[in-house]
């Protein structure tokens, strides 16, 4: 079990840098052992490896948030919360932008990983009404964009068919102030065509399944089988997915984004219009196309709010501009059936893509901020894809994944080794495959890469697409036929990617790369009487423009390089996601599939570089800034040479010279353990100085609050209860059991709970027998903690602390005490049994309880005084609970209470105390 005893069973090696043998087989075996024991997270130093469990795991709750919040990396087993917390703390401490790059193939769990990071950061960061709204927008953007941008594929039931980079911007106090989302390459071809076994975007099924009756009537919605655009996959249902329920989540997300009911209705009206547009079919009449069923145009024209005949004309004909010298002319050419179908689909895809961009824009508007703080970027982008038929979309997706792999290589393998050379650090080089050669094959301008060749072919196509793909195939072979990672084939071409060999079918490449929506279709949408739909088409149509239109390939190339530039400005963190099987079932392990992913993700090389290299490196000035506090000579400011200052710190913490090296501008620390030691000592120093500041402040504050606090306490019992003779002018301490040195007690109460009061008390049962309890008061509850002996195992008989009772404020009815000077107190519950307690510092407890109770419940707690008190006891076995009575008698001169139990009555005899109306300042 893990050394910090979180009841985490050790399984394999949780940091694979410590593997005894560094081979792909050893890595796969270690991952398998942990996966079969339900541990999906493993690490390679700071790199997190995550395996999709295909089931909900139990370790993503509040308990895990408490465990990982503020904890050092070595304190807990690998977890995505640990990586998220490390990012957040580094942002606050180092004042540097952070990012996490989540990579892996489709279905490996990247989207879920991104959502866990966002939810964790939302839970641990600052509060406030506006901040909470920003958090809600960030979290609710997920279901909204997933509805419109995710779909079922043969490899993943919730596959991201677009890429997104979420940036969360933080204020100086660490609270989220805003954010922005950048989206990449929506797979809009999915709107009009899907492979067998796949679905269209989720929103189409959600709308048809979850719409209200009035919505269905207004939008003409019916069974899913009716719609042509949903017919390709063959199955509308997804195991474990409730489309009607998800539709309500989508509507809720729209509300959080600030979308009005009218705007929501407009969005869904457009979605319904696209569905109906797909049912417009064409037939051939004299080599030209004609609408097969005129009634099929009714709903598209109604929902798009365009003239029926205008829509019919634009689907079956196209306007061409021709020039003869200085003269120009416009003619309408009737389309054949193939061209008409292409036009219909182009319109559907164009509308949907613009609708998606609008939603992203609204999300960004909902969390827009003017704060110029630091941010955390989360990259959730489509994984590497290899299908039976791979088209233009797969080509673009795999190109982006090549770029992300290149970043990983640049920053974890190549840059690290180059840095050692530049800094004159002793180092043994590690061989690895650099995929830059594949990236250059695709995106290079000189010599022209595949994207450049495609753009040239598309520029000469004009309006004729026949034969263009075949021409493209020949030109690609001419340009790249001799490249070692390129092959020509019958269907198109083959690329040897870092993740595998992919055959691309060239059919449709040119049309999809052109990505042109014909001007007359734009004009059609601009003629709509629906202002929302018109706003999606703000295009200025210029028929005289001679500039080459931007292609889809050049867009994704530009976006990918811009994304890389953004990521390179941040401190990167990595999650490498692995898909264990193709069945999407838990505990199913396909050895060869995992081994292939381990190979192309470069995990072996990553481990070797990590073992041979240095776990931590930092510029001299930043290292000094972070660790200067470790010695009085360097704190608060080191006056001398940075190098000398670092050497002084290392000597002071007794770090061996073999564990670090000083380069030209940076310090390199070899082992993670050495770094953990520095961090631990830094935390201790900060804690020490924080305590010094707290002590001084508390002393000053206590002097000012002394009289007021005692007067408040006295007011609770003034004129109602006798005073103790020896409790004059005592200061309040709050913690009388030393919680700081009781970690188990802290864990039972909860690390995030702020303790206001703690004392050892006596708790009396139905027979008036006393038992020791640790009473802990927080802002919401009272905890009673006792001790029990372990009944089994090697530690049998050992006493451990256990939670006996938790009393939430909302369940407390009132508190009762006697009018004498005794220390007894009863906590009365609304429905449950009561707690009869004896406590020394009852007045301090009652003062703090009344304050916390008022803050939580919104009213004062009821306190009753009587020398005859009743309390309900706990039910035992078949017997009822019943009540017990406590009678208080003033007799004798002793300040010690004498207890006389008789049946169901306890008589408490005690001598007289100071009068109940004595000076208020003489009661504690």
């Amino acid at each position: 079990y893990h050394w910090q005893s979180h009841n985490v069973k050790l399984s394999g090696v949780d940091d694979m840098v410590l593997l005894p043998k560094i081979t792909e087989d050893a890595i796969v075996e270690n991952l398998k052992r942990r996966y079969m024991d339900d541990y999906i997270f493993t690490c390679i130093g700071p790199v997190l490896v995550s395996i999709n469990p295909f089931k909900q795991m139990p370790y993503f709750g509040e308990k895990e948030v408490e465990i990982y919040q503020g904890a050092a990396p070595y304190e807990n087993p690998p977890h995505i919360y640990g990586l998220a917390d490390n990012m957040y703390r580094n942002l606050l401490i180092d004042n540097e932008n952070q990012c996490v790059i989540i990579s892996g193939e489709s279905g490996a769990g990247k989207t879920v990983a991104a959502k866990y990071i966002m939810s964790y950061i939302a839970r641990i960061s600052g509060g406030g009404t506006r901040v909470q709204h920003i958090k809600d927008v960030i979290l609710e953007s997920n279901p909204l964009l997933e509805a419109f941008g995710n779909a079922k594929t043969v490899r993943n039931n919730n596959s991201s068919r677009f890429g997104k980079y979420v940036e969360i911007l933080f204020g100086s106090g660490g609270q989220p102030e805003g954010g922005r989302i950048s989206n990449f390459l929506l797979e809009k071809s999915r709107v009009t065509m899907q492979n067998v076994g796949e679905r269209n975007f989720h929103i189409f099924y959600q709308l048809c399944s979850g719409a209200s009756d009035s919505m269905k009537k207004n939008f003409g919605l019916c069974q899913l089988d009716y719609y042509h655009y949903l017919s390709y996959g063959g199955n509308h249902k997804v195991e474990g997915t409730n489309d009607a329920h998800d539709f309500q989540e989508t509507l809720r997300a729209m509300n959080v984004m600030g979308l009005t009911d009218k705007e929501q209705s407009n969005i869904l009206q457009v979605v319904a219009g696209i569905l109906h547009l797909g049912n417009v079919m064409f037939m051939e009449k004299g080599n030209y196309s004609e609408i097969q069923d005129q009634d099929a145009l009714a709903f598209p024209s109604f929902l798009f709010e365009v003239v029926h005949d205008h829509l019919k004309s634009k689907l079956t004909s196209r306007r061409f501009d021709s020039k003869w010298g200085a003269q120009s002319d416009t003619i309408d050419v009737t389309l054949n059936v193939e061209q008409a179908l292409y036009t219909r689909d182009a319109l559907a895809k164009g509308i949907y893509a613009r609708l998606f961009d609008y939603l992203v824009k609204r999300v960004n508007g909902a969390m827009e901020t003017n704060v110029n703080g630091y941010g955390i970027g989360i990259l959730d982008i489509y994984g590497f894809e290899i299908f039976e038929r791979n088209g233009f979309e797969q080509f673009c997706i795999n190109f982006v994944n090549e770029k992300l792999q290149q970043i990983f290589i640049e920053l974890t393998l190549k840059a690290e080794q180059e840095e050692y050379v530049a800094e004159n650090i002793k180092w043994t080089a590690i061989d690895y495959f650099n995929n830059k050669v594949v990236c250059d094959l695709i995106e290079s301008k000189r010599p022209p890469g595949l994207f450049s060749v495609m753009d040239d072919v598309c520029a000469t196509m004009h309006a004729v697409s026949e034969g263009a793909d075949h021409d493209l195939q020949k030109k690609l072979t001419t340009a790249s036929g001799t490249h070692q990672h390129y092959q020509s084939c019958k269907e198109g071409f083959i690329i040897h990617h870092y993740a595998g060999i992919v055959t691309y079918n060239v059919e449709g490449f040119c049309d999809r790369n052109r990505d042109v929506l014909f001007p007359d279709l734009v004009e059609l949408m601009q003629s709509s009487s629906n202002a929302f739909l018109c706003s999606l088409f703000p295009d200025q149509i210029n028929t005289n423009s001679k500039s080459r239109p931007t292609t889809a390939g050049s867009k994704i190339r530009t976006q990918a390089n811009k994304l890389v530039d953004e990521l390179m400005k941040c401190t990167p963190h990595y999650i490498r996601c692995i898909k264990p099987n193709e069945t999407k079932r838990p505990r199913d392990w396909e050895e060869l599939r995992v081994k292939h992913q381990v190979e192309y993700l470069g995990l072996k090389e990553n481990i070797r570089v990590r073992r041979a290299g240095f776990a931590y490196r930092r510029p001299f000035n930043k290292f000094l800034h972070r660790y200067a506090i470790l010695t009085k000579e360097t704190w608060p400011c080191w006056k001398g040479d940075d190098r000398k200052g670092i050497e002084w710190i290392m000597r002071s913490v007794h770090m061996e010279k073999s564990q670090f090296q000083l380069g030209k501008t940076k310090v390199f620390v070899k082992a993670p353990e050495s770094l953990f030691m520095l961090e631990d000592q830094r935390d201790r120093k900060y804690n020490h100085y924080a305590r010094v500041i707290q002590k001084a402040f508390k002393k000053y504050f206590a002097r000012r609050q002394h009289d007021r606090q005692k007067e408040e306490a006295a007011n609770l019992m003034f004129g109602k209860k006798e005073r103790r003779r020896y409790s004059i002018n005592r200061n309040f301490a709050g913690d009388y059991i030393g919680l700081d040195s009781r970690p188990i007690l802290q864990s039972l109460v909860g690390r995030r709970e702020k303790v206001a009061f703690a004392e050892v008390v006596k708790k009396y049962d139905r027979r008036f027998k006393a038992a020791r309890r640790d009473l802990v008061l927080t802002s919401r509850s009272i905890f009673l903690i006792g001790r029990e002996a372990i009944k089994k195992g090697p530690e049998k008989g050992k006493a451990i602390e256990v939670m006996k009772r938790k009393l939430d404020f909302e369940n407390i009815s009132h508190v009762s005490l006697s009018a004498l000077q005794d220390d007894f107190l009863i906590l009365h519950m609304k429905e449950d049994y009561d707690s009869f307690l004896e406590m020394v510092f009852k007045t301090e407890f009652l003062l703090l309880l009344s304050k916390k109770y008022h803050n939580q419940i919104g009213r004062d707690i009821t306190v009753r005084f009587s020398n005859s008190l009743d309390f309900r006891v706990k039910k035992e076995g078949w017997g009822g609970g019943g009540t017990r009575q406590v009678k208080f008698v003033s007799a004798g001169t002793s300040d010690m209470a004498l207890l006389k139990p008789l049946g169901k009555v306890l008589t408490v005899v005690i001598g007289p105390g100071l009068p109940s109306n004595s000076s208020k300042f003489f009661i504690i």
Side-chain angles (χ1 to χ4, degrees):
Y1 287 82
H2 196 271
W3 71 272
Q4 208 182 9
S5 68
H6 290 310
N7 293 324
V8 179
K9 182 181 177 182
L10 286 179
S11 177
V13 177
D14 57 12
D15 188 342
M16 292 195 289
V17 172
L18 304 176
L19 279 174
K21 291 177 66 177
I22 309 301
T23 64
E24 269 94 3
D25 289 336
I27 295 169
V28 171
E29 179 58 33
N30 185 68
L31 293 174
K32 178 182 180 180
R33 188 180 306 172
R34 292 179 60 76
Y35 177 76
M36 290 303 180
D37 285 338
D38 281 343
Y39 299 128
I40 62 172
F41 297 119
T42 310
C43 64
I44 302 171
V47 176
L48 187 69
V49 180
S50 172
I51 303 179
N52 191 342
F54 292 107
K55 64 178 180 180
Q56 182 61 48
M57 304 305 290
Y59 37 74
F60 293 98
E62 285 296 329
K63 175 187 173 185
E64 284 71 29
V65 172
E66 290 183 12
I67 288 174
Y68 285 91
Q69 184 178 359
Y74 60 87
E75 285 186 24
N76 298 300
H79 197 290
I80 198 165
Y81 286 172
L83 180 139
D85 192 75
N86 189 34
M87 277 200 302
Y88 182 68
R89 286 192 297 133
N90 286 349
L91 175 131
L92 297 179
I93 295 171
D94 296 333
N95 291 328
E96 290 180 348
N97 291 318
Q98 311 287 312
C99 72
V100 57
I101 301 172
I102 309 171
S103 55
E105 63 182 55
S106 181
K110 299 182 297 302
T111 298
V112 175
K115 286 194 280 192
Y116 276 130
I117 291 173
M118 285 189 271
S119 66
Y120 177 85
I121 291 172
R123 280 152 113 174
I124 66 167
S125 50
T129 305
R130 184 184 176 282
V131 170
Q132 187 57 49
H133 173 68
I134 294 298
K135 291 180 180 180
D136 291 342
V137 171
I138 292 169
L139 296 178
E140 290 298 327
S141 67
N142 286 316
L144 177 60
L145 296 183
E146 282 185 19
F148 285 84
N150 286 29
K152 177 190 183 298
T153 67
V154 291
R155 307 191 67 188
N156 184 359
N157 288 346
N158 187 34
S159 178
S160 297
R161 308 318 298 163
F162 73 107
K164 73 171 183 270
Y165 182 54
V166 182
E167 295 173 271
I168 307 172
L169 304 176
F170 294 86
S172 57
Q175 72 282 1
E177 291 287 352
R180 56 179 169 262
I181 294 177
S182 305
N183 62 302
F184 309 95
L185 190 69
L186 177 73
E187 188 192 28
K188 57 187 178 183
S189 63
R190 181 167 293 272
V191 174
T192 61
M193 171 76 77
Q194 309 92 45
N195 293 328
V196 175
E198 299 189 350
R199 295 208 311 177
N200 209 319
F201 291 106
H202 294 324
I203 188 61
F204 293 111
Y205 306 90
Q206 292 180 10
L207 178 61
C208 292
S209 303
S212 63
D213 290 339
S214 62
M215 194 180 291
K216 288 181 178 180
K217 181 179 178 182
N218 292 336
F219 296 161
L221 298 174
C222 55
Q223 296 299 318
L224 294 166
D225 294 333
Y226 172 73
Y227 300 105
H228 178 69
Y229 279 162
L230 306 183
S231 65
Y232 293 96
N235 187 6
H236 303 308
K237 299 296 181 183
V238 177
E239 185 179 351
T241 298
N242 184 332
D243 290 315
H245 174 268
D246 291 347
F247 183 62
Q248 298 306 314
E249 292 289 308
T250 302
L251 294 178
R252 190 164 73 89
M254 287 184 179
N255 287 327
V256 173
M257 299 307 138
L259 289 163
T260 64
D261 291 344
K262 177 63 176 174
E263 288 171 325
Q264 294 180 34
S265 178
N266 280 329
I267 291 168
L268 299 175
Q269 182 175 321
V270 170
V271 173
I274 292 171
L275 277 179
H276 285 288
L277 181 62
N279 282 4
V280 177
M281 297 299 174
F282 305 92
M283 60 182 181
E284 190 170 332
K285 187 175 181 181
N287 294 328
Y288 296 113
S289 63
E290 190 175 272
I291 304 293
Q292 189 170 317
D293 181 1
Q294 297 294 330
D295 292 339
L297 281 173
F299 262 114
S301 59
F302 169 71
L303 294 171
F304 292 149
E305 298 186 37
V306 295
V307 176
H308 180 282
D309 290 340
H310 198 187
L311 175 61
K312 174 184 175 182
S313 170
K314 295 304 179 184
L315 290 178
T316 55
S317 65
R318 189 183 309 161
R319 186 183 62 205
F320 287 92
D321 296 313
S322 60
K323 286 189 176 183
W324 297 91
Q327 293 184 345
S328 61
D329 192 14
T330 300
I331 58 172
D332 284 330
V333 176
T334 305
L335 306 176
N336 61 32
V337 172
E338 183 184 352
Q339 292 168 333
L341 289 171
Y342 177 86
T343 302
R344 179 200 66 185
D345 292 348
L347 178 60
K349 291 184 288 187
I351 296 172
Y352 193 84
R354 289 163 187 252
L355 177 63
F356 188 79
D357 288 340
Y358 168 81
L359 290 172
V360 173
K361 183 179 178 181
R362 288 303 301 265
V363 172
N364 285 333
M367 53 182 177
E368 190 174 7
T369 180
N370 295 322
V371 174
N372 292 321
Y374 295 98
I376 291 177
I378 304 166
L379 180 63
D380 172 23
I381 208 158
Y382 20 58
F384 194 89
E385 292 185 345
I386 307 177
F387 296 140
E388 285 189 17
R389 187 185 188 282
N390 301 287
F392 180 74
E393 285 78 11
Q394 280 67 48
F395 178 73
C396 293
I397 287 170
N398 293 342
F399 162 67
V400 174
N401 278 273
E402 287 283 358
K403 295 291 287 185
L404 295 182
Q405 176 69 3
Q406 191 182 358
I407 292 179
F408 184 78
I409 289 171
E410 286 283 341
L411 297 180
T412 61
L413 302 178
K414 181 174 180 284
E416 183 159 344
Q417 301 197 61
E418 289 178 349
E419 189 175 44
Y420 296 148
V421 174
E423 293 281 337
N424 288 337
I425 300 297
K426 295 178 182 178
W427 166 255
T428 303
I430 301 296
D431 292 329
Y432 61 91
F433 169 65
N434 190 340
N435 74 323
K436 186 177 184 300
V437 62
V438 182
C439 293
D440 289 343
L441 164 68
I442 298 172
E443 67 170 340
S444 174
K445 292 186 177 179
R446 286 191 178 85
L450 305 186
F451 272 133
S452 295
V453 175
M454 288 180 204
D455 289 351
D456 288 339
V457 172
C458 290
T460 59
M461 279 176 59
H462 301 296
V464 181
S465 59
E466 289 82 5
D469 293 328
H470 180 67
D471 186 36
L472 170 65
Q473 184 180 11
K474 289 194 296 184
K475 291 192 175 182
L476 288 175
T477 302
T478 302
S480 306
T482 58
H483 197 285
Q484 59 179 332
H485 292 276
Y486 178 93
Q487 282 179 250
S488 181
C489 66
K490 182 180 178 182
E491 296 88 355
F493 58 94
I494 298 170
I495 294 182
H496 293 247
H497 288 283
Y498 79 95
I501 300 172
V502 184
T503 301
Y504 294 101
N505 192 316
V506 80
E507 183 183 345
F509 256 65
C510 291
D511 278 334
R512 288 173 181 173
N513 186 47
R514 284 179 72 197
D515 195 31
V516 174
L517 191 62
F518 301 120
D520 36 359
L521 293 180
V522 174
E523 289 179 352
L524 171 68
M525 291 297 102
Q526 290 176 341
S527 71
S528 170
S529 55
N530 185 316
F532 169 75
L533 192 56
C534 287
S535 70
L536 298 181
F537 291 85
D539 315 53
Q540 293 291 327
I541 299 173
N542 183 6
T543 58
N544 296 319
S545 175
K546 295 182 179 180
S547 62
R548 179 185 292 189
T550 305
T551 61
S554 61
K555 284 179 186 175
I556 193 62
R557 182 172 54 190
T558 302
Q559 288 179 325
N561 287 313
K562 183 179 177 183
L563 173 63
V564 168
D565 291 341
E566 287 293 319
L567 296 174
M568 296 294 259
K569 295 176 185 175
C570 305
T571 300
H573 305 261
Y574 304 95
I575 301 177
R576 312 292 267 171
C577 296
I578 290 177
K579 185 178 182 182
N581 60 63
E582 280 292 345
T583 62
K584 305 174 191 171
R585 292 202 304 261
R587 301 180 69 81
D588 186 6
W589 185 267
E590 296 178 14
E591 194 91 6
L592 293 177
R593 159 166 287 284
V594 176
K595 186 175 181 180
H596 176 62
Q597 293 172 79
V598 167
E599 287 174 353
Y600 75 66
L601 289 173
L603 299 190
K604 183 178 76 171
E605 290 78 9
N606 194 193
I607 295 170
R608 291 176 64 202
V609 168
R610 194 76 194 166
R611 280 175 67 143
F614 294 81
Y616 177 85
R617 76 286 320 275
R618 214 74 176 143
F620 289 157
N621 61 334
K622 290 195 174 183
F623 184 90
L624 269 175
H625 174 74
R626 190 175 182 105
Y627 298 111
I629 198 171
L630 296 183
T631 73
K632 62 182 181 180
E633 289 80 8
T634 54
W635 180 261
C637 181
W638 173 255
K639 302 294 186 182
D641 177 63
D642 287 352
R643 180 185 289 268
K644 297 290 185 183
I646 293 170
E647 289 174 344
W648 180 268
I649 291 173
M650 294 306 197
R651 283 197 300 271
S652 300
V653 299
H654 307 294
M655 186 178 292
E656 296 179 7
K657 289 187 176 181
S658 62
Q659 288 301 307
F660 73 96
Q661 287 190 47
L662 298 183
K664 293 179 180 178
T665 62
K666 293 182 180 180
V667 57
F668 294 80
V669 179
K670 188 167 186 64
E673 293 78 9
S674 301
L675 175 62
F676 299 154
M677 181 265 289
L678 286 171
E679 284 291 307
D680 186 53
Q681 293 203 24
R682 178 180 180 275
D683 286 344
R684 288 171 186 266
K685 284 287 185 180
Y686 268 106
N687 285 338
H688 169 70
Y689 287 128
R691 289 175 189 276
V692 170
I693 295 170
Q694 287 174 344
K695 184 178 178 181
F697 175 78
K698 285 179 180 178
K699 188 175 180 180
Y700 167 76
F701 186 75
R703 287 172 181 167
R704 293 187 58 188
Q705 299 296 323
H706 185 70
D707 291 342
R708 185 179 65 81
Q709 195 177 50
K710 289 199 297 181
E711 187 172 5
E712 285 180 359
N715 280 337
L716 289 171
M717 302 186 188
F718 184 71
K720 301 170 185 174
K721 187 173 177 68
E722 293 179 356
R723 291 131 186 257
R724 283 286 195 183
R725 296 177 184 276
Y726 302 108
S727 60
I728 298 174
N729 292 329
R730 185 184 68 80
N731 293 326
F732 291 170
D735 180 7
Y736 296 96
I737 62 178
L739 270 173
D740 285 345
S741 59
R742 306 274 295 277
I744 297 178
L745 203 59
Q746 284 182 338
S747 67
L748 289 174
V749 174
R751 287 187 182 183
R752 303 181 76 184
E753 290 283 356
K754 188 174 181 180
V755 174
F757 178 84
E759 179 191 353
V760 177
V761 303
K762 291 180 181 178
K763 177 259 179 187
Y764 290 86
D765 64 8
R766 62 195 300 127
R767 298 176 184 84
F768 304 113
K769 289 184 179 179
R772 170 183 162 156
R773 294 287 185 267
D774 292 329
L775 180 145
V776 179
L777 171 67
T778 69
S779 58
R780 293 176 291 186
S781 309
I782 299 170
F783 297 85
L784 293 173
I785 297 166
R787 284 152 188 79
E788 288 183 358
I790 297 175
K791 296 180 180 179
K792 294 182 181 180
E795 296 185 332
K796 182 179 179 181
K798 179 182 176 182
I800 58 170
E801 293 165 326
V802 294
M803 179 76 70
K804 287 292 186 180
R805 198 173 188 197
K806 180 183 178 185
L807 309 176
D808 294 325
F809 290 167
E810 55 263 29
N811 297 325
I812 297 176
S813 168
H814 63 282
V815 181
S816 61
L817 305 92
S818 78
L820 305 183
Q821 66 161 328
D822 61 274
D823 293 329
F824 291 94
L825 174 148
I826 301 174
L827 296 170
H828 297 271
M829 309 305 291
K830 291 179 180 177
E831 297 180 359
D832 206 354
Y833 65 95
D834 306 324
S835 289
F836 178 35
L837 308 173
E838 183 180 7
M839 55 196 309
V840 176
F841 306 114
K842 59 188 177 302
T843 312
E844 180 180 354
F845 166 73
L846 202 58
L847 170 67
L848 294 170
L849 173 62
S850 63
K851 287 184 174 181
K852 301 298 181 185
Y853 186 93
H854 187 276
N855 291 340
Q856 180 69 16
I857 304 301
R859 56 180 173 81
D860 293 332
I861 192 169
T862 303
V863 182
R864 298 174 183 172
F865 297 87
S866 173
N867 287 337
S868 179
L869 303 176
D870 294 329
F871 68 95
R872 290 176 295 183
V873 296
K874 185 178 181 180
K875 294 181 180 180
E876 291 185 355
W878 295 99
T883 61
R884 298 292 183 269
Q885 188 178 34
V886 186
K887 293 184 177 181
F888 296 87
V889 178
S890 179
T893 59
S894 175
D895 289 337
M896 301 293 292
L898 177 65
L899 308 187
K900 297 180 179 180
L902 181 63
K904 296 183 178 182
V905 179
L906 174 69
T907 302
V908 179
V909 181
I910 193 167
L914 295 174
S916 62
N917 59 353
S918 299
S919 170
K920 295 180 184 178
F921 290 93
F922 285 79
I923 174 79
I924 298 297

